[in-house]
């Protein structure tokens, strides 16, 4: 398992946090995603054989937020 921290722009409430969390955890290979509104970031544990950080950023973008 690999762990990465991603900066996220555009989140303003707990609904945003849930949307991003759901988008990340729906991806095959993601074990855990912890999204922090105050810090504007997500810490994601994932299997690097199934998914890449670029895939994680794409999921955030598709959910309507900015992956920085």
């Amino acid at each position: 398992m690999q762990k990465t921290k991603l900066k996220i722009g555009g989140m303003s409430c707990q609904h945003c946090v849930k949307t991003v969390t759901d988008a990340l955890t729906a991806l095959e290979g993601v074990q855990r995603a912890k999204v922090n509104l105050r810090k504007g970031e997500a810490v994601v544990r994932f299997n690097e054989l199934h998914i890449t950080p670029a895939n994680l950023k794409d999921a955030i973008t598709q959910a309507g937020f900015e992956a920085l």
Side-chain angles (χ1 to χ4, degrees), residues 4-8 24 40-44 53 56-57 60 67-68:
T4 190
K5 187 184 293 185
L6 303 167
K7 286 293 198 183
I8 303 169
L24 292 170
E41 67 185 23
V43 177
V44 185
L56 301 173
K57 289 182 179 182
I60 293 168
L68 307 170

Side-chain angles (χ1 to χ4, degrees), residues 44-65:
V44 185
R45 291 185 59 81
F46 63 99
N47 184 332
E48 63 276 6
L49 299 175
H50 294 282
I51 198 161
T52 67
N55 298 130
L56 301 173
K57 289 182 179 182
D58 287 343
I60 293 168
T61 301
Q62 289 176 11
F65 299 92

Side-chain angles (χ1 to χ4, degrees), residues 20-37:
V20 173
T21 302
D22 290 347
L24 292 170
T25 57
L27 298 173
E28 183 181 348
V30 172
Q31 180 185 32
R32 181 172 169 229
K34 183 160 177 76
V35 181
N36 187 308
L37 176 63

Side-chain angles (χ1 to χ4, degrees), residues 11 14 17 35-41:
M11 293 191 304
Q14 288 302 317
V17 170
V35 181
N36 187 308
L37 176 63
R38 187 177 55 80
K39 292 182 179 179
E41 67 185 23

